[in-house]
Amino acid sequence: MDLPDRGLGLSANEGGKQTLAPQNIGVQHGASWIFALLFAAVFVGCGALYLIRPANPDQLAFDYMAWRQLAGEAPYHGFINSDWPGVIWLHVLSVSVFGLNLWSWRLLDFMLANMAALFIAGIVRRSVGGKAAFYCMLLYPFFYVGLPYWIPGNHDMAATHFACGCLWFHQSFLLDDRRRFQWGAGVLLSMAILCKPTFAPVGLLLLIQA
């Protein structure tokens, strides 16, 4: 017996179970493509704007230290800097992969920022719902690129990228009670601390909560 659609796009198969009609499946696929193109446009557009922003003094200093280290100099030799080595290692990575350009660190940092956006969206989806996570992913690149030029790309924000991942793994541990998630939280928190040691108290808070 054919079941009435009632505007839901449902049809019945041989077992009498309701399934989405083919035309509705096509609509869903079309919407998925629209969302994918929208995210791609945001990613490419914000990334292009970020790459042409002027470099802040922190970036120039760390790029220089990374260039010296790749040239064979010992870390911190010939340059006075009190920051921990995590962000210098990230600049070494950006120079090694993309060359010594003003946009090299911006590109790696933008990739890390979008990694953080994925983690934030995952936390928001579990806490509030999928719609909030969607807007989070859509708006975060605009927010990050639109910050004053000194803030994006400095060592505080590099540490924040990793801290977002740490919180996602810790939330996964609390919800699923799988201790392997704590390994991910520990690794990312360690990277955050190596970029900015003031993130260390976060580890104590996570231990208390665990």
Side-chain angles (χ1 to χ4, degrees):
M1 181 179 69
D2 293 334
L3 293 177
D5 188 339
R6 303 188 186 211
L8 299 177
L10 298 175
S11 61
N13 57 21
E14 293 181 358
K17 294 182 180 180
Q18 291 183 343
T19 59
L20 283 173
Q23 65 269 22
N24 284 58
I25 296 176
V27 170
Q28 288 185 347
H29 282 300
S32 299
W33 274 106
I34 292 174
F35 288 143
L37 291 174
L38 179 61
F39 278 117
V42 170
F43 181 83
V44 173
C46 289
L49 289 174
Y50 188 47
L51 293 186
I52 63 175
R53 292 193 67 180
N56 61 49
D58 276 351
Q59 176 190 338
L60 296 175
F62 291 128
D63 276 345
Y64 176 69
M65 295 173 70
W67 172 74
R68 287 178 61 92
Q69 192 166 330
L70 287 171
E73 293 282 356
Y76 299 99
H77 180 261
F79 195 89
I80 299 175
N81 190 285
S82 61
D83 291 303
W84 283 32
V87 69
I88 302 174
W89 296 342
L90 291 175
H91 279 261
V92 168
L93 176 62
S94 71
V95 174
S96 300
V97 176
F98 304 119
L100 186 60
N101 305 290
L102 290 177
W103 53 263
S104 298
W105 167 244
R106 293 288 193 190
L107 179 56
L108 178 59
D109 181 60
F110 188 68
M111 294 168 65
L112 292 174
N114 281 276
M115 175 197 74
L118 286 172
F119 285 127
I120 295 171
I123 295 171
V124 171
R125 182 183 62 80
R126 292 167 173 169
S127 305
V128 183
K131 184 177 290 187
F134 168 79
Y135 287 114
C136 179
M137 278 291 300
L138 188 65
L139 297 177
Y140 188 81
F142 291 102
F143 162 75
Y144 190 72
V145 174
L147 289 171
Y149 91 105
W150 188 290
I151 298 176
N154 68 15
H155 55 290
D156 302 81
M157 295 308 298
T160 302
H161 299 330
F162 293 110
C164 291
C166 167
L167 294 178
W168 182 88
F169 275 103
H170 185 67
Q171 185 194 49
S172 301
F173 159 71
L174 294 176
L175 294 177
D176 298 339
D177 196 24
R178 297 178 182 176
R179 294 202 171 271
R180 67 171 181 269
F181 285 117
Q182 291 295 69
W183 286 99
V187 169
L188 291 175
L189 180 59
S190 298
M191 282 301 302
I193 293 171
L194 286 171
C195 293
K196 188 71 175 180
T198 50
F199 275 80
V202 175
L204 298 177
L205 295 175
L206 297 184
L207 286 174
I208 293 172
Q209 192 178 31

